Amino acid sequence: MTRIFRHHLGHQLPDADLMPVALAGRGATGADVEAYVRRALGAARRARRPLRLDDLLAEVRSKREPPSEEDRRRLAVHEAGHAVIATVLGGMKVAGVTIGDRDGVTEIFRVDGSISPERCHEVMIMLLAGRAAEELVIGSPSGGAGGVPGSDLSRATDLGKDMELRLGFGELGPVFLPEGAHDTLTVIPGLLGSVRKRLDRAMSDATELLGKNRAALDEVADRLTASGYLSAAEIAELVGAANRPGDGDDPAREPEDKLGASLGTVREQIETSLADRTPAKTGTGERRT
């Protein structure tokens, strides 16, 4: 998105950091960006002054309300939870984290394609880490982790169902039951309780890991609130700095469980693996919260 804005700006604002307008305009088309720039230039000309970044940001946000400080902080805490846990657990890389006016995105790549009970549980930890971070830092969760298919809660629940019904990891044993016309959670006795236990355990583990890495969580959330974007290198540096042993710390202590997870294509990887009988090799993840 920053490249699209740069293209339409031409020689205007040559040294400006365009990330704030790119985040605010996420989802816009090239035609939308061209219109934003044209209207912002018009506003600057009418004011008889050079174009300012605030002119462009005002146009992007002209038909939407910017988030309150409270909402922006919650978005940052939520995404920081995912980013910190991904970095601490390992097995994949966080490509970057952004928060915009309405939602946030955590991008992940180099996902470990193996499928095992342990790996699936680790994925669920990652999927619930944003909600756990909200509870830990703010004191209560929002509905941002759920509400729609493809959300954190949706993916975690689907993965729990897959473990019970399709991957042979549950109380029913080595079975494969395809999806039917009705939600299996309501028609198979005991399934809802089994999936709930998995979700509760993953949520508990996410909360525990975030508590052990609270300094990193706070640092990433603070920086994300201020800038709206953190690169992979910045996240790694912030988490590493927060976890470096200080006075009185045990230098031999390491984050427990070097694990991996995906925020975006968990179910798709499992389905592809089951269909092809070969494990998925790569994956990219996106989280909307």
Side-chain angles (χ1 to χ4, degrees), residues 4 15 47 64 78 84 101 104 177 209 211 251:
I4 298 175
D15 300 320
R64 67 181 68 162
H78 190 113
V84 168
D101 286 349
L177 300 178
L209 285 172

Side-chain angles (χ1 to χ4, degrees), residues 105-126:
V105 175
T106 300
E107 298 171 299
I108 292 175
F109 66 96
R110 199 176 69 82
V111 177
D112 185 336
S114 64
I115 298 176
S116 67
E118 296 76 19
R119 179 65 64 197
C120 290
H121 176 63
E122 294 147 13
V123 170
M124 294 176 77
I125 293 174
M126 278 298 308

Side-chain angles (χ1 to χ4, degrees), residues 236-247 249-251 253:
E237 173 58 28
L238 289 172
V239 175
N243 286 336
R244 288 189 190 112
D247 294 338
D249 290 340
D250 179 4
R253 185 184 68 82

